[in-house]
């Protein structure tokens, strides 16, 4: 899985906390992107935090990302 974050973006802090708790249970690559970088190809506006699953799907909701990382 790959987690995209931007400094100062709302929702990044709880996602980082969940990633810290999940460390060792799943492989997670954390990438810091700029606030205007569009990391999801089908979105017209930038959105972070975003979790890209191994299947290629994306999660945009902070709470959904936190739940996914706690599995």
């Amino acid at each position: 899985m790959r987690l995209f974050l931007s400094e100062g973006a709302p929702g990044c802090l709880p996602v980082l906390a969940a990633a810290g708790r999940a460390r060792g249970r799943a492989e997670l690559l954390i990438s810091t992107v700029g606030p205007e970088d569009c990391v999801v190809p089908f979105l017209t506006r930038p959105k972070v935090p975003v979790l890209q699953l191994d299947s290629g799907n994306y999660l945009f909701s902070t709470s959904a990302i936190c739940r996914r990382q706690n599995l």
Side-chain angles (χ1 to χ4, degrees), residues 1-5 9-23 25-26 28 30 48-53 58-71:
M1 293 186 290
R2 187 170 181 187
L3 180 62
F4 295 94
L5 302 170
C12 288
L13 187 58
V15 167
L16 279 174
R21 288 191 309 268
R23 189 176 14 190
R25 287 184 274 168
L28 180 66
I30 299 176
V48 286
V50 172
L51 179 66
Q52 182 181 15
L53 304 175
Y58 295 89
L59 296 178
F60 309 107
S61 164
T62 299
S63 60
I65 293 170
C66 291
R67 283 193 307 268
R68 177 69 180 165
Q69 290 178 355
N70 285 329
L71 293 178

Side-chain angles (χ1 to χ4, degrees), residues 43-57:
L43 289 182
T44 57
R45 294 177 33 175
K47 174 78 173 143
V48 286
V50 172
L51 179 66
Q52 182 181 15
L53 304 175
D54 294 333
S55 65
N57 292 328

